Amino acid sequence: MRIGIIGLGRMGGNIARRLMRAGHECVALDRSAEAVKALAADGAEPAADVAALLAKLPQPQVVWVMLPSGEITEAMVAELAGAMRPGGVVIDGGNSFWKDDVRRGRELRAKGLHYVDVGTSGGVWGLERGYCMMIGGDEETVRMLDPILAALAPGAGEVTRTPGREGRDPRAEQGYIHAGPVGAGHFVKMVHNGIEYGMMQAFAEGFEIMRTRGDGALPEGERFDLDLADIAEVWRRGSVVSSWLLDLTAIALAGDPKLDAYGGNVADSGEGRWTIQAAIEQAVPANVLSAALYARFRSRQEHPFGEKLLSAMRFQFGGHVETKPG
């Protein structure tokens, strides 16, 4: 397929590269001329603006928007909606608020266009590992996009098959699902990120407890000078808490055992807050996820080791750079 990609940042550029590796053609647009030039060197066709990008796409025009959530994405979707031919497809692969997706889907449908929201997980590792995707949109459009989605997904790999899945949608085992109508993809990704907050916080608190066990205020004989890098490494191998987040923790600690390179000022990108708002709307207790969100608020005032580990994990999986306290 031939697809337009708007937004060539940490994930957008690599999404285009993975698609091109699979034989798809990409038309690239970004406000950074250097980003466009770099992707053109890898085989993409550059575009100077939205009109030029759309002119290079066949019917139905398909455009993947990979921009920060909020006003930037809102403006781009509106521009595309005013310029695309009927039958075109706008894909938002960022982390938009799912209720915005529902509204946009309704607005684009009135113009004869299709809107698909793709919750995309994979961070800076996605080019090689693939992207786990949670998709919202109408069935016919999602099926039409399947060659693109299958190319981006990680595939079954070496993950052991889950018993009892016979007869179920095989796409889930490939690393992507059609979650439901417009908005469902980003809703599922929102909860995914809320859970991620909780898992990261659990690792941060556990490693903080182990690190401070060597403090001189504790009784002699009850203090342990624990090697956190080795603990992370051994937990990766056969432990019930093994996970990709633990893998990234081990990488960070092996390279910087005291995490001196990290400030511990941990941002929240929106999904954690939205998950808690959904829990409140639905009267669902979310004790752990709420506490993890509040811990990120606290990290902007205090910077213990645990918050530095959160910063390290965010950098490892998403390239998020935190500023050290001045």
Side-chain angles (χ1 to χ4, degrees), residues 234-252:
V234 75
W235 282 359
R236 294 181 60 218
R237 304 172 187 280
S239 164
V240 72
V241 299
S242 60
S243 65
W244 188 30
L245 285 175
L246 183 59
D247 294 345
L248 300 176
T249 297
I251 292 171

Side-chain angles (χ1 to χ4, degrees), residues 7-29:
L8 309 178
R10 286 190 299 263
M11 291 181 67
N14 282 345
I15 282 174
R17 290 182 177 91
R18 188 170 174 90
L19 287 174
M20 290 188 293
R21 286 183 180 182
H24 298 284
E25 298 178 354
C26 293
V27 182
L29 174 62

Side-chain angles (χ1 to χ4, degrees), residues 122-255:
V124 297
W125 299 72
L127 177 60
E128 303 300 334
R129 290 173 57 106
Y131 300 90
C132 173
M133 293 171 291
M134 298 133 270
I135 303 147
D138 67 86
E139 179 67 30
E140 183 178 354
T141 302
V142 173
R143 286 288 180 189
M144 185 266 287
L145 296 173
D146 195 72
I148 290 171
L149 301 170
L152 290 174
E158 299 180 358
V159 178
T160 304
R161 291 198 70 187
T162 301
R165 281 201 55 86
E166 295 77 8
R168 302 185 68 87
D169 189 339
R171 291 177 291 184
E173 293 181 305
Q174 298 300 312
Y176 66 110
I177 60 167
H178 182 198
V182 170
H186 277 150
F187 183 86
V188 174
K189 177 58 162 49
M190 173 191 76
V191 177
H192 165 283
N193 284 23
I195 293 170
E196 176 188 296
Y197 280 30
M199 293 174 66
M200 292 173 69
Q201 187 63 31
F203 279 122
E205 293 177 7
F207 277 85
E208 177 78 11
I209 291 169
M210 290 188 290
R211 188 192 72 87
T212 57
R213 196 67 218 174
D215 286 357
L218 294 170
E220 187 177 357
E222 296 182 10
R223 298 192 296 267
F224 306 130
D225 184 14
L226 301 171
D227 189 320
L228 301 187
D230 281 357
I231 292 169
E233 187 63 32
V234 75
W235 282 359
R236 294 181 60 218
R237 304 172 187 280
S239 164
V240 72
V241 299
S242 60
S243 65
W244 188 30
L245 285 175
L246 183 59
D247 294 345
L248 300 176
T249 297
I251 292 171
L253 289 171

Side-chain angles (χ1 to χ4, degrees), residues 54-85:
L54 293 176
K56 298 173 186 289
L57 297 177
Q59 284 277 69
Q61 295 164 312
V62 177
V63 180
W64 185 299
V65 178
M66 204 67 186
L67 297 170
S69 63
E71 294 181 2
I72 297 176
T73 292
E74 191 72 38
M76 180 54 66
V77 171
E79 184 175 356
L80 289 169
M84 293 179 75
R85 302 170 192 162

Side-chain angles (χ1 to χ4, degrees), residues 285-317:
N287 306 49
V288 171
L289 307 191
S290 298
L293 176 64
Y294 297 150
R296 295 197 174 197
F297 297 164
R298 183 194 65 191
S299 77
R300 293 155 212 175
Q301 300 171 340
E302 306 170 15
H303 304 283
F305 183 85
E307 270 65 42
K308 291 185 177 183
L309 188 58
L310 290 177
S311 290
M313 282 187 273
R314 294 186 82 241
F315 175 75
Q316 289 294 334
F317 71 72

